[in-house]
Each structure stands twice: as C-alpha cells, then as structure tokens.
Amino acid sequence: MDRYGNVARALHWIMAILILFNLFLGFAHDALPRDWKVMPVHKSIGLTVLALAVARILWRFTRRAPALPAGMPAWERGAAHATHFAFYAFMLVLPLTGWIMISAGDRPLNWFFLFDVPKFAVAKGDAIVGISGEAHEILGFAWAALLVLHGLAAMRHHFILKDGVLRRMI
C-alpha cells in the first residue's frame, strides 16, 4: 500500500491537533477563565499553524501524494481534491485574517510569550480589518464543519469501504 511519508504524516497529525485545539479555544474563549490567557495562546497557535502550513505546502510540492484507490468514483476524487485544497486555503487564510485583525488592536502579539511578532500596518477603521474580523469568524465555523466531514469520510473509507485510504495517513 502506498502511504504518505513520515514528514507528511507528522505534519498532518501535529497540525490536526493544533487546529482542533485552536478552533476550540476560538469558539470557547469567552466561557473560559480570563486568567488562562486563552487568546494569546490562540494567537500563538495560529501563527504556528501558519508557519507549519507554509512548510507543509512546500513539502507537498516536492513529494507525490499516494494514489487514490483505482475504483474510487470521479465525484469522490474531485471531492477529495477540493477538500484538500480548501484545507490548505484555511491553513493560510484563517491565521492571516486573525493576524490582520489583531494588528489593529493595542494588545501585543507575541509567540507563546517568548518574543514579539510584528504587526501589519493597519488601523481599526480600515476595511481590511473589518473584513478580516468577519472572515476569521465565518471561516472558523466553515473549517470546523469541513473537519467534521473530513473525519466522517475517513471513517467511511476505513470502516465501510475498507479501501486503505485512512491507513495512508496513520
């Protein structure tokens, strides 16, 4: 069976954990205690996801993905490719919209309280800031929905179709 390499699998699972945790923090931050410093951690994880996404995209362009099962219908192949493209877009756009949005604020942007990260030269009234804020929230919900679909599709391939698609990444 053709599988993804060790680096691709490690990036996939590390990013999956970071993304799921960050979506949770983003959705639940108002309900969590303020002294937990949820938002600075959320921002740091977002920056980490952005950096790892760039690395992952570069890695992906230099490596061939394993072939999909020969008997997979064309619509399913198309859905798989569209989903993966959407994931890469989310990995880039969601952190960038967050970075733009918080760049207009007064709070510092740092990476896990270790060093400051430069902000974009934007102000609160700028259209890009408003668009980024709205996009960040809407895309967060859209990404969560797509992740649920992705997980359900992986389970379908593993338990119902038994076609080895999930084993390529584990």
Side-chain angles (χ1 to χ4, degrees), residues 31 62 84 93 155 164:
T62 63
H84 285 109
V93 174
M155 295 301 106

Side-chain angles (χ1 to χ4, degrees), residues 37 39-41 43-44 47 98-99 102-119:
K37 300 193 185 301
M39 289 317 290
V41 171
K43 295 170 190 177
S44 295
L47 291 168
W99 193 352
I102 58 138
S103 289
D106 298 333
R107 295 190 177 113
L109 175 59
N110 57 55
W111 190 74
F112 293 107
F113 310 102
L114 296 174
F115 58 86
D116 288 338
V117 175
K119 291 182 170 186

Side-chain angles (χ1 to χ4, degrees), residues 72 76 79-80 83 146-161 163 165-166:
M72 185 179 281
E76 205 167 348
T83 299
L146 191 59
L147 286 165
V148 169
L149 226 72
H150 182 65
L152 290 173
M155 295 301 106
R156 175 179 170 264
H157 281 282
H158 190 69
F159 293 111
I160 295 171
L161 300 177
D163 60 6
V165 167
L166 179 62

Side-chain angles (χ1 to χ4, degrees), residues 31-50:
L32 297 171
R34 285 207 175 276
D35 61 337
W36 284 12
K37 300 193 185 301
V38 170
M39 289 317 290
V41 171
H42 175 77
K43 295 170 190 177
S44 295
I45 293 172
L47 291 168
T48 304
V49 166
L50 181 59

